[in-house]
Amino acid sequence: MIKSEFSSAGRSVYERQMNADLVIIGGGIAGTCGAIAAAREGLKVILVQDRPVLGGNASSEVRLWILGATSSMGNNNRWSREGGVLSEILIDNMYRNPDGNAIILDTILLEKVKNEQNLTLLLNTAVYEVVKSAPDEIREVIGFCSQNSTRYILSAPYFCDASGDGIVAFQAGAAFRMGAESKDEFDEGFAPDKEYGELLGHSIYFFTKNAGRPITFTAPSYALKDVSSIVKYRSYDISDHGCKLWWLEYGGRLDTIHQTEEIKWELWKVIYGIWDHVKNSGKYPEAENLTLEWVGQIPGKRESRRFEGDYILSQKDVVEQREHPDAVSYGGWSLDLHPADGVFSERPGCNQWHSKGVYQIPLRCMYSKNIKNLWLAGRIISASHVAFGSARVMATVSYSAQVLGLATQYCLKNKITPSKLANSEKVQELRQELMQKGHFIPGVEPQLQNLVHNANITASTEFKLSGLKADGYWQKLEYSTAQLLPAAPGDQIKISFEIEAEERTNLTLQLRISAKSINYTPEIILETREIPVAIGKSTLVAEFDHIMGEEQYVFVCILKNELVSVQTSSNFLSGTMMLMNRYNKSVATSGVQMPPDGIGIDSFEFWLPSRRPAQQNLAFKLSGSLEPYKVSNIRNGFCRPTNAANAWVADQNDLNPCLSLSWEQSVQIKRIVLFFDSDFDHPLESTLRVHPERIVPHTVRNYKILDADNNVIFEKSGNYQTVNEIILDQSINTSSIRIFPEHPSSNVPAAIFEVQVF
């Protein structure tokens, strides 16, 4: 029994002091991925989250799917899905949760965090005070957990604000911006005027279900009485729910921090008003058996404060794909701005303009320029309002946050500030070590070193790309269609396709490339061929004269002709795909981006792949063969296609593929890292969307590794992850290892992007 007499002085809550190397405030996707990555670097990390679950806008509390540079396959950013911890989470989620249940994602995120021994998680804990040791340095932050009535005093040499609104950076006094810059400040033609509005609003989603019997609905008294204009301008479809209702947005004219509760109530009014209209207006008889299953209790925030670093990312960084000496991350979502009036605007719900490829994000955007030990993560990084429209999305902010663990290690080891790291030669070491871990930085050449670089490498076979079998469905040329092929200097494309024509006609074929070798926007037409086609089935042959001068992807394009169909192939192959000149209605309005004059955006065509399980390639034959899948690729440092395929791929007819590494003298091996193909082109939306498979079909499932004496030193079955790190129980001395990957299926040859041996 506890009995306490009256205390005239009052009482203090229970207090706990904790120390760490890095304290991360905010457990959204950015903070969560950053904390896991930092813990894996050996840092002692405390992750503070003011909600009962992790994931922020991706959690079951909001239920927005995670997307980034792939833009849900709606742009020209091939093989651009973000890697690292985020990829690991999304692949786990697809394996365990292919139906996209946000509650299951909650459990996966919590499990990932709890499995890290160096990571302490404080849920339901709101940081409300910052204590500084100097005007430009944070000593500790103070938070309170209402669930256990505990005040936490958290100290560390480095802090990371991933809180969304930037509560720590704000209280520390860091310089910030809120709202839109003028067009002149950064020469941004897309900067909005006051009529359009300077802030993106909040959203709340809802889900419905069929109860199997008539369900009535009585709206709460606060429901909006007239939603006819909303339904009209937003083309509401009652089959949509969850984050497909992204346009349920409001608050861009208000203070998106301090008026969040008011914004939430207005969104509730709109949601219940829409549902009242659906159930009781008589215009939706098909909704008789529908009922509301879930309505969000907290809004998903898009924008509030953005804090200033040593560099402010702007529109031209995105559109021109500018290079930065301290680039450590990338983005690829469109410049995506929304009218401030949200659902009450007659304008389209969003205004999206894409770049021709992915763009670099520098480290100088990821810390406060005023507070020397404060990292910035999530949507508060240093960016203009326009660039923020792209850099704000969850996969992009998570990928950037993953950098900060290793960056903090560099700061601790070298006793320097984030600013000194970003503005010194040390940042080059950081970038190379990030790429050693499989981190992709577009335009940066890996210079990695491990035992593989001193090895003699051979393979039982190398896939020579002479064609793909004609066993798929017939694709009508409703859209101009292309086969994307990895070409090298000296290659010349002589190709044939199987076609079927309804009547005699002509087909136009073009050989195209991108102006930048790392892009996949086929804006340069190298050659055009006009070929007559007879009625019925035939073989279409195109011989192009152009000889490739550099390693780069080429597009063999067959222009639109609805009288003709071309046969596809059931083969999936690393670093190749079929594309069509069409558009994704979720992110574009046409197969050609046509911006108005004067806003500083490029016009170009969209060439998009089909989402699995649709066929991924055209059937074709080459006169001769391309040889992009050399075994030497496994040590070039790239773990995805870039301007080249970058993978070793075994011949499909090789029944026992083998990759051999040998050394002149025995070497000591403790750790082996394998990087498999998990189709970085395919987005892995975390919620709502149902994925057609639990495992990416490109990924090697089963493999074994033998030493020089034919001892099996490791064997794996049922793999589905991209990165396999093998830490041996005891170091071994051997003059060679052999890796035997099984083909994932009869239609997918085994592929490995990189092997590292330590």
Side-chain angles (χ1 to χ4, degrees):
M1 175 185 176
I2 297 174
K3 184 176 181 182
S4 179
E5 300 297 331
F6 169 70
S7 172
S8 60
R11 297 185 179 90
S12 297
V13 298
Y14 177 75
E15 194 169 273
R16 185 179 175 189
Q17 293 191 336
M18 300 173 69
N19 302 307
D21 297 314
L22 176 65
V23 175
I24 298 178
I25 298 89
I29 286 294
T32 299
C33 289
I36 294 170
R40 291 178 180 177
E41 292 298 333
L43 294 175
K44 184 179 178 183
V45 182
I46 298 172
L47 176 61
V48 189
Q49 165 69 326
D50 61 357
R51 306 298 308 168
V53 292
L54 296 168
N57 283 348
S59 75
S60 61
E61 292 190 314
V62 179
R63 307 193 180 191
L64 174 63
W65 50 31
I66 299 170
L67 282 172
T70 59
S71 188
S72 198
M73 299 174 79
N75 58 21
N76 290 344
N77 298 342
R78 303 281 62 81
W79 297 293
S80 65
R81 195 181 73 239
E82 295 75 9
V85 175
L86 177 65
S87 178
E88 178 185 321
I89 288 169
L90 293 178
I91 290 172
D92 261 345
N93 185 64
M94 187 179 78
Y95 182 74
R96 296 162 60 173
N97 183 30
D99 293 322
N101 185 333
I103 294 172
I104 303 303
L105 177 64
D106 287 349
T107 69
I108 292 170
L109 294 174
L110 288 166
E111 177 185 82
K112 288 285 183 187
V113 167
K114 294 299 288 182
N115 284 346
E116 295 297 328
Q117 294 183 347
N118 293 329
L119 206 171
T120 299
L121 173 63
L122 302 177
L123 291 174
N124 297 304
T125 302
V127 168
Y128 65 89
E129 187 175 347
V130 172
V131 180
K132 296 200 284 186
S133 54
D136 62 351
E137 186 172 22
I138 299 172
R139 184 179 75 206
E140 59 195 26
V141 297
I142 302 173
F144 179 72
C145 177
S146 61
Q147 298 299 297
N148 61 10
S149 194
T150 299
R151 178 189 293 124
Y152 291 96
I153 301 174
L154 309 174
S155 60
Y158 295 93
F159 296 83
C160 175
D161 192 333
S163 64
D165 287 336
I167 182 64
V168 171
F170 177 78
Q171 290 195 323
F176 74 92
R177 295 169 176 235
M178 193 167 173
E181 289 82 4
S182 68
K183 294 179 185 292
D184 295 335
E185 182 169 359
F186 295 109
D187 191 17
E188 295 179 307
F190 190 40
D193 54 26
K194 292 190 179 298
E195 183 183 353
Y196 192 82
E198 295 189 21
L199 285 170
L200 280 69
H202 301 352
S203 283
I204 290 179
Y205 309 134
F206 63 87
F207 279 76
T208 62
K209 71 175 182 180
N210 191 323
R213 57 184 175 80
I215 299 291
T216 59
F217 175 72
T218 302
S221 59
Y222 53 80
L224 201 63
K225 299 301 186 286
D226 182 7
V227 297
S228 55
S229 63
I230 294 174
V231 173
K232 174 184 176 182
Y233 290 122
R234 292 297 176 261
S235 300
Y236 171 62
D237 186 329
I238 65 168
S239 65
D240 287 342
H241 53 197
C243 54
K244 289 186 177 180
L245 301 168
W246 59 268
W247 49 266
L248 276 171
E249 180 176 358
Y250 178 73
R253 299 283 183 195
L254 304 178
D255 180 336
T256 53
I257 299 172
H258 301 106
Q259 290 182 281
T260 289
E261 284 294 294
E262 297 170 43
I263 295 169
K264 176 190 72 177
W265 274 101
E266 193 64 30
L267 286 167
W268 277 348
K269 291 178 184 178
V270 171
I271 287 171
Y272 290 111
I274 288 174
W275 197 241
D276 184 32
H277 176 72
V278 168
K279 294 296 289 186
N280 299 318
S281 69
K283 297 180 179 179
Y284 299 88
E286 67 274 27
E288 183 180 25
N289 291 356
L290 294 183
T291 187
L292 280 176
E293 183 180 30
W294 176 86
V295 176
Q297 302 300 304
I298 62 171
K301 288 192 178 186
R302 287 186 178 86
E303 183 177 13
S304 55
R305 304 182 184 111
R306 309 180 312 278
F307 288 82
E308 294 185 9
D310 280 342
Y311 188 83
I312 297 177
L313 198 74
S314 66
Q315 175 179 327
K316 288 191 173 181
D317 291 301
V318 175
V319 175
E320 297 177 4
Q321 300 172 272
R322 289 176 171 175
E323 294 189 356
H324 302 276
D326 60 323
V328 291
S329 183
Y330 70 91
W333 189 263
S334 62
L335 293 167
D336 180 10
L337 302 183
H338 300 193
D341 294 313
V343 293
F344 299 111
S345 173
E346 296 182 7
R347 300 171 184 262
C350 67
N351 196 6
Q352 297 184 322
W353 299 111
H354 298 261
S355 173
K356 291 180 180 179
V358 297
Y359 59 89
Q360 295 181 345
I361 300 176
L363 188 62
R364 286 169 295 155
C365 295
M366 300 180 191
Y367 55 82
S368 166
K369 71 177 185 180
N370 313 114
I371 308 300
K372 66 184 181 181
N373 63 339
L374 179 61
W375 295 106
L376 306 172
R379 57 184 169 86
I380 69 170
I381 70 166
S382 184
S384 71
H385 172 72
V386 172
F388 160 87
S390 172
R392 66 187 171 85
V393 292
M394 282 190 284
T396 301
V397 299
S398 301
Y399 194 66
S400 297
Q402 293 171 177
V403 169
L404 302 183
L406 185 59
T408 302
Q409 274 286 29
Y410 267 72
C411 289
L412 285 168
K413 184 170 56 178
N414 295 285
K415 297 181 180 178
I416 56 177
T417 64
S419 180
K420 287 185 178 179
L421 171 61
N423 291 285
S424 72
E425 283 302 308
K426 283 290 178 187
V427 77
Q428 304 308 324
E429 295 178 28
L430 171 67
R431 299 203 309 174
Q432 290 299 322
E433 191 167 346
L434 286 166
M435 288 188 287
Q436 182 88 52
K437 299 172 184 296
H439 191 84
F440 174 60
I441 308 172
V444 179
E445 194 77 22
Q447 299 170 355
L448 312 184
Q449 288 298 320
N450 61 81
L451 289 173
V452 173
H453 290 79
N454 301 319
N456 178 45
I457 308 172
T458 59
S460 54
T461 55
E462 294 175 347
F463 191 102
K464 290 182 170 50
L465 186 51
S466 58
L468 295 176
K469 61 186 177 182
D471 64 346
Y473 56 74
W474 290 87
Q475 174 87 33
K476 180 173 284 193
L477 291 173
E478 298 175 276
Y479 308 97
S480 295
T481 301
Q483 180 64 38
L484 188 58
L485 298 172
D491 284 340
Q492 188 174 0
I493 305 300
K494 298 181 179 181
I495 192 168
S496 64
F497 303 96
E498 298 304 310
I499 62 170
E500 184 172 21
E502 296 176 14
E503 58 184 74
R504 294 180 63 180
T505 185
N506 289 332
L507 277 180
T508 303
L509 277 75
Q510 293 176 337
L511 189 69
R512 298 191 185 190
I513 58 171
S514 298
K516 291 186 178 181
S517 63
I518 62 169
N519 285 353
Y520 306 95
T521 295
E523 65 221 276
I524 296 177
I525 301 172
L526 298 173
E527 291 183 56
T528 300
R529 294 285 184 271
E530 192 83 13
I531 301 175
V533 173
I535 190 170
K537 292 183 179 179
S538 63
T539 300
L540 177 72
V541 180
E543 297 187 0
F544 296 101
D545 296 328
H546 181 81
I547 298 175
M548 293 297 295
E550 62 178 318
E551 206 163 28
Q552 184 175 10
Y553 272 88
V554 296
F555 299 71
V556 183
C557 305
I558 311 174
L559 300 193
K560 176 181 176 180
N561 186 329
E562 296 191 35
L563 296 173
V564 181
S565 297
V566 59
Q567 194 167 18
T568 62
S569 175
S570 64
N571 279 126
F572 287 166
L573 181 63
S574 296
T576 64
M577 68 175 63
M578 173 178 70
L579 304 171
M580 283 171 275
N581 176 212
R582 56 183 180 175
Y583 67 100
N584 182 335
K585 293 180 181 179
S586 299
V587 297
T589 58
S590 168
V592 181
Q593 176 166 284
M594 294 182 291
D597 292 337
I599 69 168
I601 306 292
D602 294 321
S603 178
F604 59 89
E605 296 175 341
F606 293 113
W607 287 77
L608 312 179
S610 295
R611 181 180 286 270
R612 293 196 305 268
Q615 306 290 42
Q616 302 293 295
N617 288 288
L618 291 175
F620 63 90
K621 289 182 180 178
L622 293 169
S623 175
S625 62
L626 304 177
E627 298 185 9
Y629 300 117
K630 295 182 181 297
V631 69
S632 57
N633 287 339
I634 65 142
R635 62 179 170 198
N636 74 7
F638 290 109
C639 300
R640 64 179 67 207
T642 53
N643 60 316
N646 294 325
W648 166 66
V649 179
D651 190 284
Q652 186 74 65
N653 296 318
D654 185 349
L655 299 181
N656 195 26
C658 177
L659 177 63
S660 298
L661 295 83
S662 62
W663 295 268
E664 292 182 4
Q665 297 179 340
S666 290
V667 294
Q668 188 176 61
I669 297 174
K670 177 64 176 177
R671 184 164 68 97
I672 301 170
V673 188
L674 305 177
F675 294 82
F676 296 113
D677 186 357
S678 59
D679 188 11
F680 275 105
D681 198 78
H682 198 81
L684 300 175
E685 294 93 341
S686 53
T687 59
L688 189 63
R689 182 178 290 279
V690 176
H691 291 286
E693 67 266 308
R694 296 177 62 205
I695 297 168
V696 176
H698 302 63
T699 306
V700 168
R701 302 291 316 284
N702 309 316
Y703 64 91
K704 60 183 177 181
I705 306 175
L706 277 61
D707 66 11
D709 297 320
N710 290 323
N711 298 310
V712 176
I713 59 176
F714 186 79
E715 190 166 9
K716 176 75 172 182
S717 60
N719 171 59
Y720 57 87
Q721 277 290 355
T722 312
V723 184
N724 281 214
E725 183 179 28
I726 301 148
I727 301 176
L728 303 177
D729 294 334
Q730 293 183 336
S731 297
I732 63 167
N733 286 286
T734 184
S735 61
S736 69
I737 61 171
R738 287 177 295 151
I739 304 168
F740 293 87
E742 293 182 13
H743 296 304
S745 73
S746 60
N747 290 325
V748 185
I752 300 178
F753 276 107
E754 188 173 358
V755 179
Q756 298 176 0
V757 179
F758 302 92

